[in-house]
Amino acid sequence: MSDVVLETRGLVKHFKARKGAVRAVDGVDLQLRRGETLGIVGESGCGKSTLAKLLVGLEKPTQGEIRVRGEDLTRLGGAALRRSRRNIQMVLQDPYTSLNPRMTVGDIIGEPYDIHRDAVPQYGKARAVQELLDIVGLNPDHINRYPHQFSGGQRQRIGIARALALRPEIIVCDEPVSALDVSIQAQVINLLEGLQRELGLAYVFIAHDLSVVRHISDRVAVMYLGKIVETGNHAAIYEQPTHPYTQALLSAVPVPDPRLRGRRDHIMLEGDVPSPADPPSGCRFRTRCWKAQPGCADHEPLLEIRQRSSHPSACHYAEVRHVMRRF
Amino acid sequence: MSDRNATVEAPKPTGGKPRSLAGDAWLDLRTRKIFWIAAVLVVVVLLMAAWPSLFTSADPKDCLLARKNAGAGGGAPFGYDFQGCDVYAKTVYGARDSILVGVAATLIAGVIGLVVGLLAGYFGRWVDAVLSRFVDIVLAIPFILGAIVLARRLSSDPESNGVFAVIVTLGVLGWTTAARVMRSAVISAKNQDYVAAARMLGASPARLMLRHILPNAVSPFIVVLTVLLGVNIAGEATLSYLGVGLKGDAVSWGLAIAEAGPFARTAAAPLVWPSVFLAATVLAFIMLGDAIRDAFDPKLR
Amino acid sequence: MNEITAHVDALPGLDPRAPLLHVEDLHVEFRTRDGVARAVNGVNLWLNPGETLAVLGESGCGKSVTAQAIMGILDTPPGHVTGGRVLYRGVDLLRLPESERRKVRANRIAMIFQDALSALNPVYTVGFQLAELFRVHRGTSRREAKRRAIELLDQVRIPDARRRVDDYPHEFSGGMRQRVMIAMALALDPEVLIADEPTTALDVTVQAQIMSLLADLQRERNMGLMLITHDMGVVADVADRIAVMYAGKVVEEAPVYDIYAHPAHAYTKALLESIPRLDHKGQALNVIRGLPPALTDIPTGCAFHPRCAYAREICRLEPPPAYQIAPHRVTSCHFVREVLGV
Ligand SMILES: Nc1ncnc2c1ncn2[C@@H]1O[C@H](COP(=O)(O)OP(=O)(O)OP(=O)(O)O)[C@@H](O)[C@H]1O
Ligand SMILES: Nc1ncnc2c1ncn2[C@@H]1O[C@H](COP(=O)(O)OP(=O)(O)O)[C@@H](O)[C@H]1O
Ligand code: SF4
Ligand code: SF4
Ligand SMILES: [Mg+2]
Ligand SMILES: [Mg+2]
């Protein structure tokens, strides 16, 4: 399987807290193949951003492995680590805070080359920067402008150009379109899709908007309280969800079609996500699960293929429920 | 790509020479009136400090008790003080030590404050704990007491005029506010996404601090420094008044103000003129600081 | 309803038969350093009791400013209402003295905001803030006010309201805070509730809870609900009518079923085609090129023309008039027929 560009095994991140630990990411296994998009969805606070930060090295894992092209980043150091890291870049959520307001766009996009001098193409940094601006659909003459002179969507393009500079194979996108206007989201999504086709990029695409994730992803992983509770290709997750949490999430997403009003299967979840500092025993979803049985408190369900679930699902009673029937 | 922005033109890889933030700041500064006013004032004051004889031919030490508190006239546009010295000449000659003390002490305080604040804010944890305690300790020293002890030790040489001692004393005791302001500005800049983005690219701590954090944290620090400049010029007066400042027959604005204070009711001019010069100088530096700060903020251009 | 009127001085000119809320040709400007931003340029809206009107538009198109002008909480300066009327049961609120408006604000028209945390005072318990409303506006006793505060928290389905009433805002989660905000807004039984992006900051699961709560409360109280949002999905589920705004104008207004099935304005249509759908995996999204205009420099004619696929010469020259294409259906587009495909 040389096809796998990124793989994590038992990835764990615990943050020290006043009492005990916040278990932000608690044993995540995932695989990403070349040119593929893996969508990650889940409610706020379930560990998506922490996972993203672990992948790009902004946080150190408490446990587990992150393998980029087979090399375990957690065991590498020095120059080898730097080289490996170049292969995995990130686009951040907020285009208003992710660009240094006191650097010109040329300096921002050129910074990867200042840090990794051996990555500068033969024709020079200046040309490379202008080429990148062109690739993401910005005017290459705007290198001397500052971020505040651009709109949100354009800033996100600058962020994407910066992530492309070192020619990575993998880009982690943490909510790349959440902060954008509706009419601009489509521009950025199409850009990301176009770049994937042309450059063969693999994306880890994190978003809370399940419609956007469905649109862009080949495979989807659903996260709850630091764990992946269901994973599969987009058809499996959206058309045959088997985990109660996935089903509830999907049923809560509003669909822009008033004809579906009152005809959709609404599963109303009670309350909020429990604190990751003190997750429920057994199945973490049991405090909000309408299918919970007494046994769910004692035995933690593994993420595996079960009798009634053709794809991995972490529920003892995994079973398809069509929440997204088409009309 | 079908989603190209409507305004995008064909790439012209040769167009546009890259500029830097400093270059842009200078281009902007050149067009600002307030910058030129401040700059002219500062240059005048510096000239006065370097070559006072350019501004007056009178000798500040040429005092005649007979002229005590005499009004303006003759070669003395501001009149004479209670010892019969020329107020104008004294004020002009006072510029040198006042400016020297103010600028040098502020620079020392600024450098200490910048380094301490930047390191404490950037590294956090034990570095921050140690440095912050250190700031607290310095802050806990009563200024007068600390200054007297320090200035005494530093100016044990009877030959010296005390300027060096005053500069070091004010600098070493006066950096705490600057450090605290710097530290909190660094902490808030450090947590910005663009710093994370640079860290992700593998930027070194030095690069993060100098390229990303410092330029975005320096504004409040500059404000503190410009205020500190005025405080230091006045602080020299306090020390001189306490007998641990400038010695011998030194002249400075601070000294002049301190001397003239008790006689303010009978003769206001010896108090007013050095004060006006001091205020104008501080104001000029504040305006200069503001203009530079704004020029380095692309949003305000 | 009797209880309300007993406590509120009757407004002069109040006509119980007049429409509940009618905004007529509203204009709002912001006079800023960069010039005059024309945030609202002739907005027309109406709202009946028991009805949900969704105001839909991208950020910066003037939704919140319209709401603020209706509420009389516009940031003045730099904001100025430069024309139009806001009629509440026939009374022009814009002409009322501030003291009268304050009463209208508290008792008849209420508003909830996107960011519930900053709208609640962090140093008082939520129970105190709720009780304060009853004490100030109704003169109720301390005990009675607290009892009613608990009752309200119960109504917005805060579990264990009796205990939570003494908690501070920061002790509530995002969704719970929004419930508290709703309780505050409903405390004095308003007839109109304006909700400005009430769920934008929340998760879909919590959003579903809040939207169903709002719908239930509205039904029980027969309130007029003006729901401001940029999310075409949320409004499809709850709205009766939809007003689409672009660059400070309502460009299309229609009953909810019609607008999704047959958008009659090129902007509405483009917007609907540009959003990814949950219920099927489509192909490449249709993109609206360019950016929303700067409000200091709104394009001539139809403000959407630089981005519009249907635009022709006339769109640049002439602002499109409001065409009434069906009962309750108004659209301002020169090429309605082409857009509708008829
Ligand atoms: N540095 C930290 N120290 C302590 N706890 C943290 C830290 N960073 C994150 N957490 C906690 O870890 C959990 C997961 O956070 P994370 O930011 O990954 O969530 P998320 O899924 O990205 O949510 P959102 O959709 O809101 O972005 C949260 O409970 C958060 O409070
Ligand atoms: N206090 C203010 N000062 C200056 N401009 C403002 C102010 N409030 C709003 N605006 C401007 O008015 C326009 C409309 O804003 P708003 O109604 O908040 O948009 P939205 O449709 O996203 O709610 C925006 O361009 C905004 O920048
Ligand atoms: S294991 Fe039990 S509690 Fe967990 S999701 Fe399945 S049914 Fe619900
Ligand atoms: S009036 Fe013209 S530019 Fe405006 S939406 Fe209609 S077709 Fe497009
Ligand atoms: Mg996140
Ligand atoms: Mg708004």
Side-chain angles (χ1 to χ4, degrees):
Chain A
M1 290 296 279
S2 64
D3 218 21
V4 175
V5 286
L6 174 70
E7 184 177 14
T8 71
R9 287 193 199 151
L11 198 58
V12 172
K13 178 70 195 181
H14 290 181
F15 293 104
K16 275 204 199 75
R18 225 169 287 147
K19 37 182 181 168
V22 177
R23 297 152 80 162
V25 170
D26 214 7
V28 164
D29 302 318
L30 54 83
Q31 283 195 344
L32 182 71
R33 292 183 197 89
R34 199 184 128 69
E36 155 188 83
T37 302
L38 171 68
I40 295 184
V41 296
E43 281 168 288
S44 178
C46 69
K48 307 183 299 289
S49 298
T50 307
L51 176 60
K53 287 182 191 156
L54 288 171
L55 293 180
V56 298
L58 280 179
E59 297 279 4
K60 271 199 160 45
T62 313
Q63 253 178 55
E65 298 175 0
I66 303 170
R67 291 180 175 275
V68 173
R69 285 225 163 264
E71 278 184 310
D72 185 1
L73 295 192
T74 55
R75 281 164 204 275
L76 290 180
L81 180 65
R82 273 165 72 86
R83 285 201 76 81
S84 264
R85 283 239 173 280
R86 266 167 43 178
N87 214 0
I88 174 163
Q89 295 294 321
M90 181 160 169
V91 176
L92 295 155
Q93 168 173 5
D94 189 344
Y96 292 89
T97 59
S98 59
L99 306 177
N100 187 338
R102 293 175 194 235
M103 278 166 76
T104 63
V105 168
D107 283 346
I108 290 172
I109 299 178
E111 183 161 40
Y113 298 126
D114 295 339
I115 297 170
H116 301 272
R117 300 210 174 264
D118 49 334
V120 183
Q122 278 137 10
Y123 44 85
K125 179 178 130 187
R127 275 272 310 269
V129 167
Q130 291 183 317
E131 205 177 84
L132 283 166
L133 279 169
D134 186 43
I135 288 178
V136 297
L138 292 170
N139 187 338
D141 288 340
H142 289 173
I143 44 167
N144 284 325
R145 295 203 178 182
Y146 289 87
H148 73 97
Q149 292 170 300
F150 293 88
S151 70
Q154 290 173 322
R155 287 169 185 229
Q156 206 55 308
R157 288 167 193 262
I158 297 169
I160 292 171
R162 172 174 59 191
L164 290 176
L166 299 175
R167 302 177 185 280
E169 280 184 295
I170 307 155
I171 296 189
V172 179
C173 307
D174 187 7
E175 310 255 5
V177 297
S178 311
L180 302 179
D181 260 332
V182 191
S183 76
I184 308 303
Q185 286 192 359
Q187 297 178 0
V188 172
I189 291 171
N190 281 8
L191 170 65
L192 287 171
E193 287 183 325
L195 291 172
Q196 180 165 52
R197 270 194 308 275
E198 283 170 33
L199 308 174
L201 297 169
Y203 292 137
V204 175
F205 193 96
I206 295 173
H208 65 261
D209 185 333
L210 281 88
S211 312
V212 171
V213 169
R214 170 157 212 191
H215 177 84
I216 201 167
S217 305
D218 302 305
R219 286 190 305 121
V220 178
V222 182
M223 261 185 107
Y224 189 74
L225 277 181
K227 284 186 183 300
I228 291 180
V229 295
E230 184 168 4
T231 176
N233 66 30
H234 70 89
I237 297 294
Y238 283 84
E239 276 154 33
Q240 311 200 302
T242 61
H243 195 284
Y245 180 59
T246 314
Q247 291 161 357
L249 264 187
L250 286 173
S251 82
V253 179
V255 171
D257 189 349
R259 288 170 306 174
L260 301 186
R261 208 184 269 192
R263 296 169 61 185
R264 283 181 60 201
D265 181 9
H266 273 298
I267 305 166
M268 198 68 82
L269 282 188
E270 295 298 320
D272 304 303
V273 187
S275 159
D278 184 21
S281 66
C283 172
R284 295 190 172 188
F285 185 54
R286 69 179 163 84
T287 52
R288 298 166 84 199
C289 180
W290 71 94
K291 277 168 79 178
Q293 302 291 322
C296 299
D298 304 327
H299 306 289
E300 184 173 336
L302 297 177
L303 179 64
E304 60 193 16
I305 295 178
R306 290 159 206 272
Q307 215 171 12
R308 291 164 200 263
S309 176
S310 57
H311 54 271
S313 176
C315 169
H316 296 307
Y317 308 100
E319 186 174 22
V320 176
R321 175 163 168 175
H322 296 282
V323 280
M324 279 314 313
R325 215 173 308 134
R326 285 175 64 178
F327 294 89
Chain B
M1 247 144 279
S2 57
D3 55 339
R4 213 46 98 49
N5 202 300
T7 57
V8 169
E9 295 143 30
K12 276 179 258 153
T14 50
K17 226 175 117 244
R19 289 197 304 265
S20 67
L21 181 65
D24 282 339
W26 170 238
L27 288 181
D28 175 69
L29 269 183
R30 286 200 319 202
T31 65
R32 279 178 195 245
K33 218 187 278 164
I34 199 95
F35 166 74
W36 288 112
I37 296 173
V40 166
L41 268 174
V42 167
V43 168
V44 168
V45 172
L46 290 180
L47 280 178
M48 198 180 280
W51 295 287
S53 53
L54 286 178
F55 292 82
T56 177
S57 50
D59 182 351
K61 297 189 181 125
D62 174 20
C63 304
L64 274 177
L65 270 179
R67 294 194 301 234
K68 179 176 176 186
N69 290 346
F78 299 165
Y80 296 89
D81 69 4
F82 69 109
Q83 288 172 316
C85 311
D86 182 339
V87 174
Y88 176 68
K90 255 184 98 165
T91 308
V92 167
Y93 277 85
R96 174 175 296 171
D97 284 349
S98 289
I99 298 294
L100 191 61
V101 167
V103 171
T106 305
L107 279 181
I108 292 179
V111 169
I112 303 179
L114 183 101
V115 172
V116 170
L118 188 57
L119 294 180
Y122 180 81
F123 288 105
R125 295 165 187 261
W126 66 267
V127 180
D128 184 25
V130 169
L131 289 175
S132 289
R133 283 304 81 72
F134 182 46
V135 171
D136 291 345
I137 290 167
V138 175
L139 208 58
I141 302 172
F143 175 76
I144 305 276
L145 188 67
I148 291 176
V149 173
L150 200 59
R152 277 254 162 78
R153 284 217 70 116
L154 288 165
S155 62
S156 46
D157 176 9
E159 292 293 289
S160 84
N161 58 2
V163 171
F164 174 75
V166 171
I167 289 173
V168 174
T169 304
L170 291 174
V172 164
L173 291 177
W175 54 271
T176 48
T177 314
R180 287 188 156 186
V181 166
M182 194 66 203
R183 173 180 170 272
S184 59
V186 166
I187 287 175
S188 77
K190 177 179 79 165
N191 291 320
Q192 297 293 314
D193 282 355
Y194 52 80
V195 178
R199 209 143 63 82
M200 212 158 57
L201 289 169
S204 62
R207 182 178 191 89
L208 292 178
M209 280 191 266
L210 300 178
R211 287 279 280 171
H212 294 279
I213 294 175
L214 201 54
N216 287 291
V218 83
S219 293
F221 178 74
I222 290 181
V223 175
V224 169
L225 285 197
T226 50
V227 172
L228 191 59
L229 182 79
V231 170
N232 280 339
I233 294 180
E236 174 263 310
T238 312
L239 294 187
S240 302
Y241 186 76
L242 291 173
V244 291
L246 304 186
K247 285 187 293 201
D249 45 7
V251 283
S252 83
W253 295 339
L255 268 179
I257 293 169
E259 284 167 8
F263 308 96
R265 257 194 235 192
T266 44
L271 177 67
V272 169
W273 287 110
S275 308
V276 167
F277 274 56
L278 193 159
T281 306
V282 172
L283 197 67
F285 276 100
I286 287 180
M287 288 194 310
L288 194 65
D290 271 4
I292 292 176
R293 189 191 60 184
D294 289 356
F296 274 89
D297 187 346
K299 271 184 234 137
L300 295 178
R301 272 185 214 140
Chain C
M1 285 287 151
N2 273 339
E3 196 201 9
I4 302 176
T5 31
H7 286 288
V8 183
D9 311 331
L11 284 168
L14 190 86
D15 177 1
R17 282 154 313 170
L20 179 56
L21 186 68
H22 189 175
V23 179
E24 249 182 27
D25 198 29
L26 185 68
H27 285 79
V28 181
E29 288 180 1
F30 286 94
R31 298 176 193 147
T32 63
R33 236 175 25 156
D34 307 328
V36 177
R38 292 184 289 132
V40 177
N41 307 298
V43 160
N44 292 293
L45 292 171
W46 47 275
L47 182 65
N48 287 324
E51 186 187 43
T52 301
L53 168 71
V55 177
L56 187 78
E58 295 180 73
S59 87
C61 72
K63 308 180 297 286
S64 301
V65 171
T66 303
Q68 287 164 5
I70 295 172
M71 287 298 287
I73 52 170
L74 201 62
D75 222 352
T76 312
H80 300 271
V81 176
T82 52
R85 303 198 291 171
V86 176
L87 300 168
Y88 160 77
R89 296 247 184 246
V91 182
D92 186 357
L93 299 182
L94 299 178
R95 304 252 170 314
L96 287 183
E98 180 52 32
S99 58
E100 290 287 332
R101 283 209 89 170
R102 210 173 301 136
K103 281 186 214 144
V104 172
R105 209 142 59 211
N107 292 288
R108 296 167 189 264
I109 308 183
M111 183 161 171
I112 54 181
F113 304 89
Q114 172 176 343
D115 184 2
L117 185 57
S118 63
L120 293 168
N121 190 331
V123 301
Y124 296 113
T125 64
V126 302
F128 180 86
Q129 295 182 56
L130 273 167
E132 187 82 349
L133 280 171
F134 295 116
R135 304 225 324 266
V136 171
H137 291 277
R138 296 284 192 270
T140 25
S141 71
R142 210 170 267 272
R143 275 184 72 133
E144 172 67 7
K146 175 140 185 195
R147 193 188 61 72
R148 293 182 55 180
I150 296 173
E151 200 177 281
L152 263 172
L153 291 181
D154 223 29
Q155 276 179 32
V156 295
R157 299 182 207 150
I158 289 191
D160 204 4
R162 192 168 298 279
R163 195 174 54 77
R164 303 296 317 251
V165 71
D166 292 322
D167 283 353
Y168 289 88
H170 72 264
E171 298 175 78
F172 289 83
S173 68
M176 288 295 160
R177 259 180 233 139
Q178 200 53 277
R179 287 168 196 265
V180 172
M181 272 290 292
I182 294 173
M184 301 259 289
L186 297 184
L188 302 177
D189 286 309
E191 290 169 273
V192 179
L193 178 63
I194 302 178
D196 190 356
E197 311 238 6
T199 59
T200 302
L202 306 175
D203 276 316
V204 277
T205 49
V206 182
Q207 165 170 283
Q209 297 165 2
I210 298 287
M211 290 315 299
S212 97
L213 172 68
L214 273 177
D216 291 350
L217 290 169
Q218 180 206 29
R219 211 172 310 116
E220 285 161 21
R221 296 164 177 244
N222 200 34
M223 274 186 314
L225 175 63
M226 185 167 148
L227 181 66
I228 296 175
T229 177
H230 66 266
D231 186 332
M232 311 209 60
V234 172
V235 293
D237 260 358
V238 294
D240 298 309
R241 281 186 304 118
I242 295 195
V244 180
M245 284 187 71
Y246 188 79
K249 277 201 171 84
V250 174
V251 294
E252 177 173 9
E253 198 207 301
V256 64
Y257 289 97
D258 301 335
I259 205 165
Y260 283 88
H262 309 287
H265 193 283
Y267 174 63
T268 318
K269 188 172 180 181
L271 211 52
L272 276 169
E273 286 169 356
S274 74
I275 48 174
R277 294 278 300 255
L278 183 72
D279 47 353
H280 49 87
K281 186 173 169 86
Q283 296 79 39
L285 298 173
N286 230 328
V287 157
I288 305 180
R289 61 179 182 220
L291 307 170
L295 295 176
T296 45
D297 187 19
I298 297 178
T300 57
C302 172
F304 187 54
H305 85 254
R307 309 175 69 193
C308 181
Y310 292 87
R312 279 184 247 161
E313 190 63 9
I314 184 171
C315 300
R316 193 168 55 80
L317 303 172
E318 300 276 334
Y323 295 109
Q324 177 101 37
I325 56 169
H328 300 315
R329 279 209 79 170
V330 179
T331 176
S332 305
C333 176
H334 286 301
F335 297 102
V336 197
R337 291 174 161 282
E338 281 84 343
V339 173
L340 280 169
V342 291

